[in-house]
């Protein structure tokens, strides 16, 4: 990788949504947020403060009010980041803010309306449009993955069984940093394919309704795009650059009193607030500059964003605000977090020739398949010339590097046809030869049939090899080829002009912010007084200004303390709710679970410090461990366990037992109608007790065992003994 250690601060932009109908009807007219688009400032008014209290002002890289368009935000703030990703840098875009402030709308927008598409669909269009307009000597490989962090578990949204499987685990390597193990990655060759991947993941994402948002995101979603580019360098060798783009849609912070969540929604809100609190602690530690420890491991979210915050990445943070007066505290908290994030310094660098580049593996596989095709082509051409009887002389010219698939297939078909014709002629000659014996004819015909079979196998292998070659080559996108039909030179010029305007606007905003700071410093230097009265007035004015700043600082300290008290109260309330639920579960365990089962579960528990959670030990230890579960002894071949002599006898009687390999005898109730046998007059005279027996049955029923065959009643002696026993019992 490149050794360039130049630092770059996190770019922070703020966007404010318009008032909703519910907020307009419930609250007072007007909002509490004002924005100066020219200077990039956000002015916040406290609705509970007296009019004399000064308003709070925050300055950011760019601000967008409720009338701003999706395209303006993308062109001015996001497009330079996507260009950096295509150049080989790592990039991250994430939206942060209170629930219901428009984070998902900013990131995704309305897919069917081109004017309201968010950052993600515009990024898709940007990436594939750039590939289609690049030079023909460049090759690209685009991969996409989609995951969510739900209840502090990482779930693969592209896995159809993600709801039934365990959460994925985080790993860290020196080359790529933090990554998710066994995460599904899809190769995408067009905008339509990557949009389909996005739609599949969105259908599996956790979404719920709260009092503040009908479609509230209950998890943090991360859409990962990897763009690998191969380009010849000055040394003539192909160099690979890998850019990784993280598109993050965070779940919003929630207050239980406002959202009204309960049960599972309360657990989700607790986990969301916990991860966002950990993110705020990481931002504070990085912005402070004096902290020796940054708590990245406090949550899965901060682990995944480790490179994006203070690492190898270029980062854009979009802070979303709500203008309603009842959300003043949450809006102020979001602005403070965003203001601190401006001070984070990243060290982005180009990822050049990494070891894990999948594009290099694809190119090696394509080269190997091409070599095999060339070899088969050479062999087919050689055999074809031998059949024609022509002397083949190998020329000194090198074969072309690229072999056309149509030519290879045509030559292979011609070779197969010629071989089949030759073998058919030989078979006819053998059949017509009168001097050969029948055995020799059969032997020669068998050899020819074998050669025909080998020929067909070689043809099938060549077809499979050609199909694999085409499939591998189709996954690579070559610059200069049209991906979308509407891409033309006029659109390219239009986008270039639009980008120049956005860059010019950004520079003007930065220059105006610098001029304001310089003017304040220059006024103090240029001050000259002609009289003492004028000096007193200037000093008094300056004193009032400093006193106003002092009051603002005191109000800021008071707001921070109040916010801390509110956060503590909310955490205590959430803790009480969780404690009550925990006591309820303890009550169930103590009254309904046997102590020995409870002890078994407790003995299997173990704490994983890396994942920061409790886990169960496996029932069957690893083979590498010395203590292994003993295998069950086997007394007979084919049986799962030892069987008794009775079971062997029962099996030898030819019955179809369900429990053939176990020591269990099945005794089923005889639910069929009784089998009766009518007694003759002679048998009735021989058994006088039959008429005295108090029953209305006209026959006798005998039950049969599961291992006995049914037998009919043929003797009257059994009847006599049965009636005698019944009489004795009575």
């Amino acid at each position: 990788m490149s050794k360039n250690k130049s630092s770059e601060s996190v770019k922070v932009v703020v966007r404010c949504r318009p008032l909703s109908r519910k907020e307009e009807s419930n609250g007072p007219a007007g909002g509490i947020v004002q924005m100066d688009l020219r200077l990039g400032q956000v002015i916040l008014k406290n609705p509970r403060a007296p009019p004399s209290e000064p308003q709070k002002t925050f300055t950011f890289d760019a601000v967008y009010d409720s009338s701003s368009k999706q395209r303006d935000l993308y062109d001015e703030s996001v497009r330079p980041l996507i260009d950096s990703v295509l150049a080989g840098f790592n990039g991250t875009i994430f939206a942060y803010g209170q629930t219901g402030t428009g984070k998902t709308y900013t990131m995704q927008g309305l897919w069917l309306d081109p004017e309201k598409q968010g950052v993600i669909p515009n990024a898709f269009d940007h990436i594939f449009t750039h590939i289609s307009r690049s030079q023909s000597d460049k090759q690209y490989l685009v991969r996409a993955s989609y995951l969510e962090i739900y209840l502090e578990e990482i779930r693969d949204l592209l896995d159809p069984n993600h709801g039934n499987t365990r959460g994925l685990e985080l790993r860290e390597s020196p080359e790529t940093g933090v990554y998710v193990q066994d995460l599904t990655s899809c190769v995408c060759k067009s905008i339509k394919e990557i949009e389909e991947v996005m739609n599949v993941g969105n259908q599996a994402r956790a979404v719920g309704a709260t009092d503040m948002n009908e479609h509230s995101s209950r998890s943090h979603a991360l859409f990962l795009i990897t763009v690998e580019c191969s380009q010849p360098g000055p040394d003539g060798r192909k160099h690979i650059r890998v850019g990784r783009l993280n598109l993050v849609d965070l779940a919003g912070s929630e207050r239980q009193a406002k959202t009204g969540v309960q049960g599972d929604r309360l657990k989700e809100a607790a986990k969301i607030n916990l991860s966002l609190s950990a993110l705020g602690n990481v931002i504070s530690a990085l912005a402070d500059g004096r902290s020796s420890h940054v708590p990245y491991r406090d949550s899965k979210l901060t682990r995944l964003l480790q490179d994006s915050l203070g690492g190898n990445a270029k980062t854009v943070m979009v802070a979303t605000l709500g203008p309603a007066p009842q959300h003043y505290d949450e809006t102020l908290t979001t602005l403070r977090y965003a203001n601190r994030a401006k001070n984070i310094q990243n060290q982005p660098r180009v990822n050049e020739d990494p070891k894990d580049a999948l594009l290099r593996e694809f190119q090696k596989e394509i080269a190997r398949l091409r070599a095999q095709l060339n070899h088969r082509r050479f062999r087919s051409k050689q055999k074809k010339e031998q059949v024609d009887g022509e002397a083949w002389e190998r020329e000194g010219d090198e074969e072309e590097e690229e072999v056309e698939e149509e030519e290879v297939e045509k030559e292979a078909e011609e070779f197969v046809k010629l071989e089949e014709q030759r073998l058919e002629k030989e078979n006819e000659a053998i059949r017509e030869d009168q001097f050969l014996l029948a055995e020799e004819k059969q032997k020669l015909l068998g050899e020819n049939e074998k050669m025909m079979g080998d020929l067909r196998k070689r043809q099938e292998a060549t077809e499979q090899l050609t199909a694999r070659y085409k499939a591998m080559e189709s996954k690579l996108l070559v610059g200069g080829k049209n991906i979308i039909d509407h891409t033309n030179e006029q659109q390219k010029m239009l986008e270039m002009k639009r980008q120049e305007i956005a860059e010019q606007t950004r520079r003007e905003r930065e220059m105006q912010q610098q001029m304001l700071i310089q003017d304040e410093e220059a006024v103090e230097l240029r001050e000259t007084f002609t009289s003492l009265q004028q000096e007193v007035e200037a000093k008094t004015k300056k004193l009032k200004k400093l006193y106003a700043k002092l009051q603002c600082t005191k109000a800021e300290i008071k707001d921070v303390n109040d916010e801390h008290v509110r956060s503590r109260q909310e955490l205590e309330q959430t803790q009480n709710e969780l404690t009550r639920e925990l006591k309820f579960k303890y009550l169930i365990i103590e009254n309904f679970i046997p102590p020995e089962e409870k002890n078994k579960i407790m003995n299997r528990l173990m704490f994983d410090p890396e994942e920061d959670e409790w886990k169960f030990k496996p029932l069957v230890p690893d083979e590498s461990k010395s203590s292994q579960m003993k295998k069950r002894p086997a007394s007979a071949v084919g049986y799962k366990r030892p069987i008794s002599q009775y079971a062997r006898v029962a099996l030898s009687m030819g019955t179809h037992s369900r429990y053939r390999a176990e020591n269990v005898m099945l005794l089923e109730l005889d639910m069929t109608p009784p089998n009766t046998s009518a007694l003759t007059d002679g048998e009735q005279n021989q058994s006088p007790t039959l008429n005295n027996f108090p029953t209305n049955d006209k026959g006798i029923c005998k039950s049969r065992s599961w291992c006995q065959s049914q037998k009919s009643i043929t003797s009257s002696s059994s009847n006599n003994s049965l009636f005698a026993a019944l009489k004795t019992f009575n």
Side-chain angles (χ1 to χ4, degrees), residues 518-582:
Q518 292 176 0
D519 288 343
E520 291 180 358
E521 296 176 355
V523 166
E524 298 180 359
L525 297 176
R526 290 198 302 265
E527 283 183 345
T528 55
F529 309 107
T530 57
S531 63
L532 292 175
Q533 183 66 27
Q534 187 178 1
E535 185 176 358
V536 168
E537 291 177 356
K539 297 292 184 181
T540 304
K541 186 177 180 181
K542 186 176 182 180
L543 182 62
K544 290 181 179 180
K545 188 176 180 180
L546 293 175
Y547 181 75
K549 288 185 178 181
L550 177 62
Q551 294 299 320
C552 289
T553 305
K554 288 182 178 180
E556 187 79 12
I557 294 173
K558 183 177 180 299
D559 290 341
V560 171
N561 292 332
D562 293 343
E563 181 186 354
H564 175 70
V565 171
R566 284 193 301 271
S567 300
R568 182 174 179 178
Q569 291 175 353
E570 290 175 1
L571 291 175
E572 289 176 352
Q573 183 179 0
T574 305
Q575 183 182 6
N576 294 335
E577 293 285 340
L578 296 176
T579 303
R580 183 172 64 85
E581 189 173 353
L582 183 62

Side-chain angles (χ1 to χ4, degrees), residues 402-416:
E402 296 183 357
V403 181
E404 297 181 358
E405 293 83 356
E406 296 180 358
E407 184 179 353
V408 174
E409 293 176 359
K410 186 177 179 181
E411 291 184 359
E413 291 177 358
E414 292 178 357
F415 172 70
V416 171

Side-chain angles (χ1 to χ4, degrees), residues 585 587-599 601:
K585 291 183 178 180
L587 188 64
I588 295 176
I589 292 173
E590 294 295 335
N591 290 276
F592 295 98
I593 296 181
E596 57 272 12
E597 297 296 330
K598 176 185 174 183
N599 293 333
I601 295 174

Side-chain angles (χ1 to χ4, degrees), residues 94 96 149 152 154 170 172 178 220 222 248 250 271-284 286 293-311 612:
F94 68 94
Y96 179 88
I149 304 176
E152 281 300 303
I154 299 177
L170 288 173
E172 188 171 0
V178 180
H220 307 300
L222 287 84
V248 187
L250 299 179
K271 292 293 185 180
I272 290 171
N273 290 337
L274 183 64
S275 60
L276 292 178
S277 177
L279 178 61
N281 294 335
V282 169
I283 291 175
S284 300
L286 291 172
H293 171 68
V294 180
Y296 288 116
R297 293 181 176 269
D298 286 357
S299 72
K300 302 284 182 65
L301 176 64
T302 51
R303 283 291 305 279
L304 282 173
L305 297 180
Q306 183 171 343
D307 284 339
S308 304
L309 298 173
D612 195 20

Side-chain angles (χ1 to χ4, degrees), residues 613-626:
E613 62 181 8
W614 289 90
K615 294 183 178 180
F616 282 108
K617 295 180 181 178
L619 288 173
V620 181
D622 298 334
E623 295 182 359
S624 59
K625 297 182 180 179
S626 58

